[in-house]
Amino acid sequence: MNSAGRRTRKDSGSGDNSSRTMRTRQDSTIKDINGVLSVRFLDDADALEKICCISKTAPKMSRVGELLRNSQHLISHRAGTPMSVADPDSESEPESPPAQPNAALTELNSAQLEVEDTVRGTAVFGFQRCHRRSHLRRVAEEFAQKSPVKTAAADIKSPGTPRRGCSGLPASIGSGRRGGRRPVSRTVDDRARSRSRSRSPPPARSRSRSKSRSRSRSPPPPQRNGRTPSTPKSAAGRTPQTPRGRASAALPAKTPQTVRRKVKLRLSKLKQEDIAVSDDDDDSDVSPLEDSSEDEYKAPMEEEEDDDEESDEEDEEEEEEQTSTVPPAAVRGRGGAPRRRPELEPAAVSAEDYFSLHSAGGPTSNHTLSRLSEPRLSGAALRALLDARPTDHAAERAALLTDLEIMFPHWLAAVSHGFNILLHGLGSKRDVLERLRRQHLRERLHMVVSGYHPSVTPRQLLLTLLEEALDVPAPPSKLEAQLEAVERRLAAPGAPALFLLVHSIDGPMMRAEKMQYVLARLAQLPRVHLLASADHINSPLVWDQHKLAQFNFLWFDATTLLPYTEETSYENSLLVRQTADLALSSLRHVFKSLTPNARGIFILLAKNQVERASDKTFDGMPLSELYQRCRDAFLVSSQVALRAQLTEFRDHKLIRTRQSHDGVEQLTVPLEAALISEFLASCEDS
Amino acid sequence: MATSSLTKSCFVFKPKSGGSSSAALDSSQYFAGLSDDMGIQSAERRSQTFNSTWQTAEKLCTDFQEEMFNTVFHEMIEYLQGSVDIEEDAGIPTATLITGVNMPDHTGVFRSLAERLRAQVTAHVAVLEAASCTTVQATVRAMVRQLTAAGEPLSPDVPVVDEDDEDDCLLDVPDQTSRQRRAPATMPALVAHYEAAQETVASPKKRSPRKRARTAPQRRPLVVVWRDLEAFQPRVLQDLVLICSQYRSRLPISFVFGVSTCASAVHRLLPQHVSARLSLHKFHSQLATHCLAEMIDKVLLSPSMPFRLGGRALRLLLDIFLYHDFSVNNFISAYKFCMLSHFLWSPASALCCEPGQLEERVEELTGAQVAGLRALPSVRAYLDDLEQEERHTLQHDGVFKEWVLHMAPKLHSKHEELLVGLRCLFALTKRLPGALLGKQFREAYNLALLHALPERDEYKRTFQLLNMLSRQELTATLEHALEAVSGSGSALSTLLRTQLDRVRALDDRPTPVSAEESSQQRRLVADTLKQATSRQSLRESLQSMGAARNARLNPYETLRSALLAELDEHLRGLIVQPSKWPFNECVVFDDVSLVRRRLVGAPRSSVQTALADPAKYLQCTCCQLGDAASIRPTMPDLCIVYKLHLECGRLINLFDWMQAFRAVVGASDDDQTIQARFAHCVAELQFLGFIKSTQRKTDHVARLTWGSC
C-alpha cells in the first residue's frame, strides 16, 4: 500500500484514470484502518471481526490487504487469551509465535501510518529541519543520479519486504526513516521531474511532498524495524547536515526569477554573517553585549584593531588560550577555577526562523498517545522506571558538580562583600545549593526556599522568615509591615547574617511581581545573602532594571546536566498521570464532612464505577440511572435534592460531569479505579 | 533535615552553636580557599588589602555623591524652605525633580533628598513609593504615617501596627501600648497632629513675641516626596492632589515629584483641573553621563587608589553603563566586583597597595611568591630585554626584591604621568574637528589603556591638525592644556608655560618683512594674471605660487612646528600603555571575560549550549558532534528530546516525538522505560520553558521557541 500511495501521487501527475479508482478505494480503506487502531485494545474476537470486515472492503489493497489477512489468520489461530498489548518492542518478525498477533497489528498500524501520511500528501511527520531537508534532498539526488539501478536493486534486496503492487517493487514498510518510503518503481523522467520539483522552493504544500519524496531517497538505514516504521533507525543512519543555504547555491538557472532573487538575498546574507563571524573572531569572548556595542561605540577603534594586532598579540593569544583550549585555571594558576565551563557562543538565531516557523507550521499527524499500551504512566511508576536505569555520563556529571564545589569559596567571598549569586545553566541546581549548604552554612543561619513548589507565596516566605528564623513571636499580617519588620530586625546591632537559598527563583509561583519585590527588598539588605538558581530560559524577564540593581547578582554558569526530578515532580506533566495521593486524601477529608445521605450517593456512584472499571465503553453513570438507584436506596426523594448534592460534589471536585453524545449527563469520579476501591475499602473499615 | 516536602516550601536552619551565626562573614578564609599553593600565603594579606582599598573607594564615592547632591538639591531646598510663604491661591508648591532614566540610582537620590529635607527644611517628610501606594487609602495612610512619625523614631523592636490590622493583632499584648499611641491615619488626624506639633514648637517662643516675629517662619512645611511619579496610578495621584489642595489652608503641604522622563509627564498624568492646583517648579538633577565622568575622575583615577582597571574591563563597564542602565550605582558595584576579582584571583595583587606599605609587603614575599612575580608576563618581557648579566643578578631573590621595591612604586607615578599626558593631549584635541579622542576624557583614557596611543592614527592626526592652527587658536589651545595639567605640577606644565610665553613673545615682535612681502606678492599675482592665456594655465600658476608660499615658513609657523615637535616628544614619554609597565599585573585588572560572565548573565545561551552540544560541558568523547544538528544516542536523554523538538513546527505530536526518541536511543530499553524517560524529558522541557501544553490538538504540545537553537 505504500507503493500504492506513491502511485497515487505519481499517477495524478501523469493523469491515469485507473489511479483515481484506486485512490477512492484506498481512502475508504484508510477510514476503516483508522478504526483498526482501536483493535489493539479490543479482545481477540472483536479484533478478528473488525479485521475481517476491513479486509473485505480492501481485498486487493496491496500491502494492507495482505497484512489484514495475515493478522486475521493469526488471531483466529490464537487461543482465547486476552490480548496483552504491551508487547515490548516488537522487533520480532511476523513469524515469531508468541507475539504474532501483536506484531501483525503493529505492522498493520505502521502500514496505516504510511497510508495516512502519503495519501494526504502532507507527510506531516516533520522531525526534520529545513536545512537538513535540503541537504537530504541533495544527497538523494546525487545518489539517484549515480546509481539509479543500484537503488532499485537495494530495494529489492531489502529484507522482509514483500513485493507487491503493480510496479512489482517492494513497498518496504517499516524501513527507512519516518515512513521509510523509498524510491521504487521510478522511471528516469519521473525522477527528473521530482528532482526539479524538489529543487525549486515550492509553496508549503508541494514542499512537504517533495520533502517526503526526497527524504525517502536518503541511504537506506541498516535494519528494519517492524514496530516503529516512521522513525529514524539509529544515529548512524542520521545523515550529516550541511550549513544552511548550500543547497540553494547549487540551483540551476531555470528557477523562476523570484526564487533566484530570494536565493541571492539569502546568499548575501550568509556572506554577511560569515564576515560578521570572522570579525568577532579577534575578540574571543563574544557576548551579546559586545556585539551590540562594538559597532557603534567603538567604531573608530575597530578600524585600527588590525594595526594593533602586534602590540596586542600577547594578550590576545593569552586570552585565546584561556577561552578556547586551555582552561583558565591552568593559565592563570587559579587553582580553584572550574575546568569545564565552555565559553558560550551567542545563539545563532535569525529573525527569519521565526517567520518560517509560523508560516510553515505544517500539519502534524493525528496520532495520539492512546496508541501506547499505557498512555500516561503514574508518577511513581515513572520514578521507579527511571531509578532502575543507570544514569548516563555519571562520572562526567559528578565531575561537573565537583567543579562547582571548588567555586563555593568564590561565591561566599562575593556574597560576603554584598553581591548575590545567581546560578544558571542546564540541569537541576538543587544539589549544588544543597552541597553548599551542607559544607559551608552549617554554622550559619540560613533559609531554603523551594521556588518550584506550587504553594510558595511571599506571605509564607516572610512569615517563616520572621517566625522561625528571626524569632519574632507575633509577626504583622501585612506584607509591607512584614518586610519592615524583617528590615528592622536585621538592622539591629548583633543581628545574624541570613543566607537565603532560593531554588528556582523563577519558578511558577515565584514569577509573581509581589514575590520578586519581596525578594529584591530582602536581597538589598546588607545582612541578607541571597544564593539563587534560575532554570527557565526566559527567567531574566522577571526582573526590571530596578530589581536587577537591587538584587546585584553575579551570574554563574552552574550547568550540572542533572535531571530535574524534584522540580518537575510538582508540575502537571503532560505525560504523567496525575498523582492521586493528594486527591485521595482530600477526598477523604471532604467525605468526612458529608451528610450520611450524601455519603451514600457518593459511595453508590463510586461502587458503580469500580464495578464497571473493566468496561471500556463505560464513560460515566447517567444521571437518570443514578437518581433511580438513589431513590431505591432512599437516599434522595427528588431529582432536585440529588442535583443539590451533586453540585456540592462538583464544587469539591469529587465528581465530574460530562455530556455524552446523546446529551445525557454522565457522572464519573475522576480517580483511578484502584484508588476508588481503596477508598471504598477504607470507608467500609470505618 | 530534608529540604523537600509536599506541603512546605520554606525551610529554616539554625546553627546549633548560637554564637557563630551572628559573627560577621570573614571573607579571608574564602580568599584562601580559592587560592593555589602560591597564592595561599598572601590570601589574608590580599583580603585585608581588598577591604582597605574598597573602603577608600567607597569613601571617595560617597564624598563625590554628597558633593553632587549638594549642588543638585541646593536650589530645590531653598525653594521648599520658602514654600510656606507662598500664597494659598497659588496652589500647592511643587518641585518637579527631573531625575533621568537611571532608575537604580534613584533610591540613593531620594534617600539623600529626604535626609537633607529633614535636616534643613522640616521634620515632616514623607517619601511615597508607587509599589505600596496602589489605592488612595493606602497612599493617605502611608503619607500621614510618615508625616506624623517625625520626631518620634520607633524603637526597632516595636513593629508598626496599623489600625486595619487590629483584628489580627488583638493578641499582641506587647504592642498594645504602642498601638494606643497611634491615631488613625487620616487627614484630620494629620491636621490635629500638625497643629499640636506647631504649638509645642511655638510655645517656648511665646515669651518673647518680638524675637518670634523676627526669626524663622512660624510654620514648617510638610513635604511629600513622590518617588518615580510615572509609576503611580493616575487616579490615586489626582485624588491625592485634590485632597491635599483642600487642606492647603490648614496644612502647608508641598510636593516633590520625582520624574524620570520629562516634565511633561506631570501633565500627562494630571488633567488640567488637577494640575491647576499645583504651582510647579522644575529642577534638574545631574545627567547620569556627567555623574559617571565625575565619578571616574574622582574615584577610578584618584591618586589615592592603588587599584586600576584595565582597558578591556573599563570598556565593558562603560558599555554596560551606556547601553544597559545608565546607573552609576551599578557601575560602582561592577567596579567593586572587578576589584574583588583582582584580589581574589591574582596572587600578584598582594603588592597592590599604597606606596608607603610596599616595603613591608615586599619583605614578606616568600620564595614561591617571588617566583610567581618573576613569571608575570610583563616582568618576563622586561627581563628578556635586559642584558644577560643583569638578568642573571635578578635571579637572586634578594636582588629581585630590591628591584621590585624599585619598580613597583613607579607603577603609581607612571599612572600619574599617563594621566597628565592624557589630560594635556585631550585638552589639545578637544577643540579640533572630529573629536579624535572622543568627547569625554574617559574615552581618551580607555583608548590609551587599550592601545599604544602615540602609534595610533588619532595621535598623528591630532598633531597634523594642531600644526594648522592659527596663532590665536594655538594660544587658546595651549592655555586650555595648561589649565588641564596645571594642578599636577609636572614638567609638562612648565613646558606648556614656556611654550605659551614663546608664542606670546612672538606676537609682540613686529614682522618687518610683511609689508614688503605682501607688495611683492601682489606684483607676482598681477604678473601671473597677465601671463595667463587660458583658464587652466592660470590655475596652474596660482597653484605653484601657493606651493611656493607654503614652502616658505613664516616665523610663527617655524615656532609652531618646533613647539609641537617638543610637545609630541614629551607626550610620547608620558603616554605609555599600562600593559607595557613591568609589574602592571599587580595593580591592573583586565580579565574582561570573567567580568562579563559574572555581570552580564547569559542564562539562555548556557542552557542552549548544554542542550545542543552537551559534550562541551560533559567533555566526554562519546557525544562529540560533527555538526551542530546531529544527534547521538549516547547524549543525555534531555538533549536528544530537545534536538528532536527543534525539527518541528509550532505544534509537536507527542506520540511521534516519542517514536523518534525511541528510534534514536535504540532498543536498549523496553517500551515502558523509554516512555518513562521520554515523559521525564518532556516534563523537563516544559519546566525549562521550551514547550507548553496546548488544547489545539489532542496529545500535542506547543513549541515556545523558534530558530535552530
Side-chain angles (χ1 to χ4, degrees):
Chain A
M1 90 46 258
N2 188 10
S3 60
R6 187 173 305 109
R7 198 173 51 241
T8 317
R9 204 168 53 217
K10 184 179 70 188
D11 288 349
S12 63
S14 62
D16 195 332
N17 263 346
S18 68
S19 72
R20 253 169 244 153
T21 54
M22 193 67 166
R23 192 182 196 163
T24 48
R25 201 187 302 159
Q26 199 172 332
D27 281 349
S28 66
T29 319
I30 291 155
K31 267 181 218 152
D32 293 326
I33 293 173
N34 273 333
V36 175
L37 266 189
S38 52
V39 166
R40 303 187 73 186
F41 309 100
L42 300 180
D43 45 9
D44 283 4
D46 285 355
L48 190 61
E49 198 181 272
K50 238 174 188 160
I51 288 173
C52 287
C53 177
I54 297 165
S55 59
K56 258 176 237 159
T57 61
K60 280 180 192 170
M61 279 295 301
S62 53
R63 179 73 177 140
V64 178
E66 189 199 44
L67 280 171
L68 288 172
R69 274 189 294 280
N70 196 5
S71 44
Q72 184 186 346
H73 177 74
L74 285 166
I75 294 170
S76 56
H77 275 276
R78 202 158 98 144
T81 47
M83 184 121 104
S84 68
V85 199
D87 167 29
D89 205 25
S90 53
E91 273 292 312
S92 48
E93 302 293 298
E95 289 81 39
S96 62
Q100 269 172 0
N102 282 330
L105 280 175
T106 314
E107 212 163 341
L108 185 67
N109 196 350
S110 58
Q112 186 263 343
L113 282 183
E114 306 223 345
V115 174
E116 256 179 12
D117 283 359
T118 329
V119 173
R120 289 182 193 170
T122 44
V124 246
F125 208 78
F127 285 95
Q128 284 294 335
R129 263 199 271 179
C130 44
H131 53 273
R132 193 190 296 176
R133 249 175 246 146
S134 69
H135 171 75
L136 281 176
R137 197 182 302 147
R138 211 158 49 101
V139 169
E141 275 159 23
E142 279 165 17
F143 188 62
Q145 270 172 343
K146 270 188 220 151
S147 53
V149 191
K150 241 193 240 165
T151 329
D155 273 333
I156 292 163
K157 270 183 219 153
S158 71
T161 43
R163 259 152 267 157
R164 296 284 307 234
C166 30
S167 62
L169 278 165
S172 72
I173 292 171
S175 61
R177 48 178 26 247
R178 189 117 321 123
R181 291 171 295 277
R182 212 147 344 129
V184 282
S185 76
R186 188 168 287 172
T187 57
V188 175
D189 55 340
D190 174 41
R191 205 169 274 134
R193 196 190 318 131
S194 79
R195 196 155 54 235
S196 70
R197 202 186 298 165
S198 63
R199 267 180 187 174
S200 60
R205 193 186 177 86
S206 66
R207 192 197 302 164
S208 64
R209 274 195 185 190
S210 63
K211 170 185 72 191
S212 68
R213 191 178 281 208
S214 59
R215 204 192 298 132
S216 66
R217 271 194 258 172
S218 61
Q223 78 212 82
R224 173 167 173 268
N225 188 345
R227 177 79 177 266
T228 57
S230 47
T231 46
K233 193 47 216 157
S234 71
R238 289 196 158 256
T239 36
Q241 154 263 3
T242 46
R244 236 176 303 167
R246 290 263 173 82
S248 56
L251 275 174
K254 274 177 194 172
T255 39
Q257 180 76 41
T258 48
V259 178
R260 260 185 289 164
R261 203 179 306 131
K262 260 186 213 160
V263 171
K264 207 183 277 175
L265 265 173
R266 181 135 184 76
L267 278 175
S268 64
K269 229 188 103 202
L270 273 173
K271 204 169 148 196
Q272 274 174 358
E273 276 170 13
D274 271 352
I275 292 165
V277 167
S278 60
D279 276 353
D280 282 341
D281 283 348
D282 63 349
D283 210 340
S284 52
D285 32 58
V286 205
S287 85
L289 180 76
E290 188 85 355
D291 288 345
S292 65
S293 60
E294 201 90 306
D295 303 334
E296 311 133 44
Y297 178 48
K298 297 294 164 197
M301 289 183 193
E302 190 124 56
E303 291 165 9
E304 263 83 25
E305 203 79 53
D306 292 352
D307 304 352
D308 276 9
E309 209 80 299
E310 284 90 29
S311 60
D312 277 340
E313 203 155 41
E314 203 174 36
D315 308 33
E316 294 280 1
E317 257 172 18
E318 196 189 20
E319 195 158 311
E320 201 74 49
E321 269 180 353
Q322 286 165 29
T323 51
S324 56
T325 50
V326 188
V331 176
R332 297 262 154 140
R334 288 175 186 169
R339 294 183 300 278
R340 281 160 195 268
R341 307 287 141 188
E343 204 64 32
L344 299 176
E345 295 152 18
V349 185
S350 78
E352 240 173 60
D353 291 339
Y354 175 82
F355 295 106
S356 67
L357 180 72
H358 281 261
S359 61
T364 50
S365 70
N366 286 333
H367 308 150
T368 58
L369 290 174
S370 52
R371 284 163 180 255
L372 298 169
S373 55
E374 197 177 347
R376 279 172 172 77
L377 296 167
S378 71
L382 186 107
R383 216 159 301 150
L385 282 167
L386 288 178
D387 287 345
R389 207 180 151 269
T391 47
D392 53 316
H393 296 102
E396 283 88 352
R397 291 182 205 220
L400 277 172
L401 258 183
T402 13
D403 280 347
L404 287 170
E405 254 172 53
I406 294 170
M407 295 294 283
F408 287 171
H410 184 190
W411 299 353
L412 292 169
V415 147
S416 66
H417 288 290
F419 294 97
N420 293 311
I421 304 291
L422 184 70
L423 308 177
H424 60 89
L426 183 67
S428 171
K429 291 163 281 287
R430 225 178 141 268
D431 247 27
V432 180
L433 286 176
E434 278 293 294
R435 284 188 186 203
L436 174 76
R437 189 172 79 76
R438 296 228 178 83
Q439 289 177 15
H440 292 276
L441 301 182
R442 272 182 176 284
E443 293 304 306
R444 299 201 171 272
L445 176 65
H446 60 280
M447 178 168 162
V448 179
V449 179
S450 316
Y452 47 79
H453 200 278
S455 75
V456 58
T457 57
R459 186 173 305 274
Q460 190 194 355
L461 193 156
L462 284 173
L463 277 177
T464 325
L465 182 60
L466 279 169
E467 281 175 352
E468 295 184 31
L470 301 177
D471 300 319
V472 175
S477 64
K478 284 252 162 71
L479 198 73
E480 202 62 29
Q482 285 172 348
L483 268 174
E484 275 162 23
V486 172
E487 277 166 9
R488 251 198 321 275
R489 188 85 195 177
L490 286 175
L498 171 77
F499 283 81
L500 202 57
L501 280 78
V502 183
H503 300 297
S504 296
I505 198 169
D506 54 349
M509 292 302 287
M510 305 291 275
R511 287 169 209 163
E513 167 74 23
K514 263 267 155 25
M515 191 78 194
Q516 294 297 331
Y517 169 72
V518 167
L519 281 175
R521 281 278 293 271
L522 289 177
Q524 221 182 356
L525 300 176
R527 295 209 196 211
V528 174
H529 306 301
L530 176 72
L531 294 115
S533 68
D535 299 304
H536 199 276
I537 46 170
N538 295 328
S539 55
L541 298 179
V542 179
W543 305 297
D544 56 19
Q545 273 311 347
H546 186 57
K547 288 213 184 70
L548 270 181
Q550 282 179 309
F551 276 122
N552 200 10
F553 277 136
L554 295 180
W555 303 69
F556 283 87
D557 183 350
T559 301
T560 59
L561 287 158
L562 294 175
Y564 290 102
T565 318
E566 181 77 23
E567 287 90 331
T568 52
S569 63
Y570 298 102
E571 200 151 338
N572 295 338
S573 177
L574 303 158
L575 287 168
V576 180
R577 208 171 43 209
Q578 299 309 306
T579 46
D581 302 344
L582 272 177
L584 192 64
S585 73
S586 66
L587 174 63
R588 281 197 190 115
H589 281 285
V590 177
F591 188 76
K592 272 181 199 158
S593 61
L594 291 176
T595 59
N597 274 6
R599 286 185 198 182
I601 299 172
F602 187 76
I603 287 176
L604 210 149
L605 193 62
K607 270 188 180 157
N608 178 55
Q609 190 159 333
V610 172
E611 278 160 19
R612 302 185 61 181
S614 54
D615 185 358
K616 294 266 180 199
T617 56
F618 173 77
D619 47 347
M621 192 174 186
L623 184 64
S624 51
E625 188 186 337
L626 180 68
Y627 175 59
Q628 203 61 41
R629 290 218 208 164
C630 288
R631 221 170 48 170
D632 293 349
F634 298 107
L635 290 170
V636 287
S637 54
S638 71
Q639 197 152 1
V640 179
L642 177 64
R643 279 191 179 278
Q645 284 297 348
L646 290 179
T647 314
E648 195 177 328
F649 289 167
R650 210 175 297 138
D651 289 346
H652 288 105
K653 302 212 167 95
L654 294 186
I655 59 163
R656 193 185 288 157
T657 49
R658 204 183 287 153
Q659 293 268 334
S660 72
H661 301 298
D662 44 357
V664 176
E665 231 177 309
Q666 287 179 320
L667 307 165
T668 45
V669 179
L671 285 175
E672 294 291 314
L675 282 170
I676 299 177
S677 38
E678 190 187 325
F679 165 73
L680 288 175
S682 69
C683 282
E684 275 160 25
D685 287 348
S686 61
Chain B
M1 199 163 112
T3 55
S4 72
S5 151
L6 256 185
T7 50
K8 220 174 151 195
S9 58
C10 304
F11 309 87
V12 168
F13 299 89
K14 285 189 166 179
K16 288 182 190 81
S17 53
S20 69
S21 86
S22 57
L25 276 174
D26 176 24
S27 64
S28 65
Q29 48 169 325
Y30 304 129
F31 272 70
L34 278 175
S35 312
D36 49 11
D37 301 335
M38 198 182 91
I40 202 155
Q41 292 147 338
S42 61
E44 191 152 332
R45 184 53 99 181
R46 282 184 285 135
S47 169
Q48 285 170 5
T49 323
F50 168 71
N51 288 337
S52 64
T53 317
W54 172 241
Q55 271 162 16
T56 319
E58 206 173 21
K59 182 155 188 322
L60 287 171
C61 288
T62 40
D63 287 354
F64 152 71
Q65 277 176 335
E66 280 295 299
E67 201 178 303
M68 187 187 75
F69 290 146
N70 267 342
T71 54
V72 171
F73 295 142
H74 178 70
E75 276 181 38
M76 195 164 84
I77 284 175
E78 270 183 6
Y79 169 75
L80 288 173
Q81 276 169 340
S83 66
V84 183
D85 303 329
I86 293 175
E87 285 168 44
E88 237 172 75
D89 308 337
I92 304 172
T94 306
T96 311
L97 178 66
I98 315 285
T99 48
V101 289
N102 49 339
M103 302 294 289
D105 293 353
H106 291 179
T107 317
V109 171
F110 285 100
R111 195 190 303 126
S112 154
L113 174 64
E115 273 168 22
R116 266 151 225 273
L117 286 174
R118 284 201 185 99
Q120 298 176 23
V121 181
T122 170
H124 310 285
V125 178
V127 182
L128 302 180
E129 287 191 46
S132 51
C133 299
T134 45
T135 59
V136 176
Q137 190 198 12
T139 318
V140 169
R141 196 189 311 131
M143 186 177 86
V144 174
R145 278 267 170 275
Q146 291 186 45
L147 289 177
T148 53
E152 35 180 286
L154 289 163
S155 62
D157 279 336
V158 179
V160 181
V161 184
D162 287 333
E163 68 278 6
D164 316 315
D165 289 349
E166 269 178 52
D167 41 334
D168 307 313
C169 297
L170 282 175
L171 300 174
D172 300 354
V173 184
D175 292 337
Q176 287 291 338
T177 49
S178 71
R179 207 173 73 240
Q180 279 163 359
R181 215 176 51 210
R182 287 186 161 276
T186 55
M187 290 305 278
L190 178 64
V191 174
H193 181 273
Y194 180 74
E195 276 163 3
Q198 283 303 314
E199 260 169 39
T200 52
V201 172
S203 56
K205 291 180 186 165
K206 268 180 186 168
R207 275 170 248 148
S208 55
R210 199 164 49 89
K211 193 178 170 191
R212 183 187 156 204
R214 202 184 51 207
T215 51
Q218 305 91 324
R219 285 142 60 90
R220 300 201 141 247
L222 302 163
V223 181
V224 182
V225 181
W226 301 76
R227 230 195 101 166
D228 193 17
L229 192 77
E230 288 96 325
F232 282 92
Q233 310 245 343
R235 193 76 245 164
V236 174
L237 186 61
Q238 289 161 21
D239 288 351
L240 244 284
V241 169
L242 290 175
I243 292 170
C244 288
S245 75
Q246 291 296 319
Y247 282 89
R248 172 84 178 122
S249 54
R250 279 179 282 173
L251 295 172
I253 291 181
S254 41
F255 288 154
V256 176
F257 286 169
V259 179
S260 52
T261 51
C262 62
S264 65
V266 177
H267 297 284
R268 232 183 7 251
L269 285 165
L270 302 175
Q272 200 269 332
H273 74 273
V274 179
S275 59
R277 312 280 180 109
L278 300 172
S279 120
L280 287 162
H281 273 249
K282 198 161 73 178
F283 299 92
H284 282 276
S285 72
Q286 235 157 359
L287 279 179
T289 43
H290 185 75
C291 291
L292 180 78
E294 292 270 299
M295 229 275 304
I296 289 179
D297 205 45
K298 297 244 167 75
V299 181
L300 268 68
L301 305 183
S302 152
S304 55
M305 286 291 299
F307 167 78
R308 303 287 167 207
L309 276 184
R312 288 150 177 271
L314 180 62
R315 187 170 73 178
L316 175 75
L317 260 53
L318 288 174
D319 282 353
I320 294 177
F321 176 85
L322 289 173
Y323 298 105
H324 277 209
D325 49 16
F326 281 122
S327 161
V328 177
N329 284 355
N330 281 359
F331 186 87
I332 295 173
S333 161
Y335 177 65
K336 182 180 178 184
F337 175 71
C338 290
M339 196 189 284
L340 176 65
S341 308
H342 179 63
F343 286 102
L344 202 57
W345 292 117
S346 159
S349 64
L351 293 183
C352 179
C353 59
E354 304 272 321
Q357 304 168 329
L358 205 61
E359 202 162 338
E360 187 192 344
R361 303 269 169 115
V362 173
E363 281 304 306
E364 274 176 15
L365 290 178
T366 61
Q369 282 173 306
V370 169
L373 283 177
R374 209 176 269 137
L376 291 175
S378 64
V379 178
R380 250 184 354 223
Y382 189 82
L383 288 178
D384 285 347
D385 291 344
L386 287 179
E387 294 293 320
Q388 182 71 40
E389 273 176 42
E390 255 182 291
R391 208 185 311 162
H392 199 73
T393 50
L394 282 178
Q395 290 299 320
H396 186 262
D397 278 5
V399 181
F400 188 80
K401 277 190 187 176
E402 262 172 42
W403 186 61
V404 173
L405 212 51
H406 171 67
M407 295 301 284
K410 281 192 181 173
L411 291 171
H412 301 284
S413 58
K414 273 184 176 168
H415 189 260
E416 285 309 299
E417 283 177 6
L418 171 73
L419 274 185
V420 170
L422 259 182
R423 282 190 210 281
C424 171
L425 185 66
F426 185 67
L428 290 176
T429 52
K430 212 171 180 182
R431 302 197 141 197
L432 298 179
L436 289 167
L437 296 177
K439 285 179 177 156
Q440 304 270 357
F441 179 68
R442 57 164 189 262
E443 293 169 53
Y445 178 67
N446 200 356
L447 203 62
L449 292 186
L450 284 168
H451 310 283
L453 194 56
E455 310 307 321
R456 285 180 72 86
D457 255 11
E458 287 97 334
Y459 186 84
K460 288 168 194 155
R461 251 188 93 56
T462 304
F463 276 91
Q464 276 172 9
L465 287 171
L466 284 175
N467 215 357
M468 292 174 192
L469 292 184
S470 73
R471 203 171 304 178
Q472 285 85 0
E473 284 169 333
L474 187 69
T475 320
T477 314
L478 286 177
E479 271 167 2
H480 275 285
L482 182 61
E483 203 178 308
V485 299
S486 59
S488 63
S490 64
L492 188 65
S493 62
T494 37
L495 175 80
L496 282 169
R497 198 162 292 127
T498 49
Q499 287 194 338
L500 255 177
D501 289 345
R502 280 164 74 187
V503 177
R504 285 192 186 126
L506 188 77
D507 231 354
D508 300 331
R509 210 187 306 156
T511 46
V513 281
S514 65
E516 193 186 312
E517 229 176 38
S518 62
S519 66
Q520 202 181 346
Q521 201 115 77
R522 223 170 289 134
R523 228 177 303 133
L524 205 75
V525 173
D527 285 352
T528 27
L529 282 176
K530 272 177 207 161
Q531 279 164 14
T533 49
S534 70
R535 205 179 271 189
Q536 194 178 356
S537 66
L538 174 67
R539 204 174 76 181
E540 273 167 10
S541 54
L542 280 175
Q543 268 173 353
S544 64
M545 226 164 65
R549 228 180 82 194
N550 278 359
R552 269 187 294 119
L553 292 175
N554 65 23
Y556 163 67
E557 284 163 341
T558 337
L559 177 63
R560 184 175 60 189
S561 34
L563 290 183
L564 289 178
E566 223 175 78
L567 202 57
D568 179 28
E569 197 186 337
H570 204 94
L571 284 179
R572 275 172 193 274
L574 292 178
I575 302 176
V576 182
Q577 198 186 355
S579 58
K580 298 281 184 293
W581 308 340
F583 294 107
N584 73 73
E585 288 89 343
C586 296
V587 294
V588 177
F589 172 79
D590 207 8
D591 188 355
V592 68
S593 62
L594 175 88
V595 180
R596 177 177 298 128
R597 263 178 286 147
R598 296 292 165 263
L599 294 180
V600 188
R604 177 96 182 246
S605 74
S606 71
V607 168
Q608 284 183 334
T609 311
L611 282 171
D613 195 358
K616 275 193 180 158
Y617 281 95
L618 291 171
Q619 305 209 322
C620 56
T621 45
C622 52
C623 303
Q624 297 291 347
L625 295 178
D627 74 283
S630 53
I631 307 178
R632 286 190 164 274
T634 54
M635 293 200 306
D637 290 349
L638 183 59
C639 302
I640 297 175
V641 172
Y642 166 79
K643 290 206 142 194
L644 289 170
H645 119 284
L646 287 182
E647 300 173 351
C648 293
R650 257 177 308 170
L651 288 180
I652 307 173
N653 184 317
L654 277 174
F655 179 79
D656 293 349
W657 194 6
M658 180 146 87
Q659 297 307 316
F661 173 70
R662 189 223 302 270
V664 172
V665 296
S668 57
D669 282 325
D670 58 79
D671 269 9
Q672 288 262 307
T673 313
I674 285 186
Q675 193 183 337
R677 283 163 71 182
F678 179 72
H680 185 68
C681 292
V682 169
E684 286 184 322
L685 278 187
Q686 194 185 0
F687 180 70
L688 288 172
F690 282 101
I691 53 168
K692 65 167 186 180
S693 61
T694 177
Q695 298 294 318
R696 288 177 60 187
K697 212 169 168 186
T698 330
D699 288 337
H700 275 64
V701 290
R703 201 181 145 185
L704 296 176
T705 56
W706 44 274
S708 53
C709 53

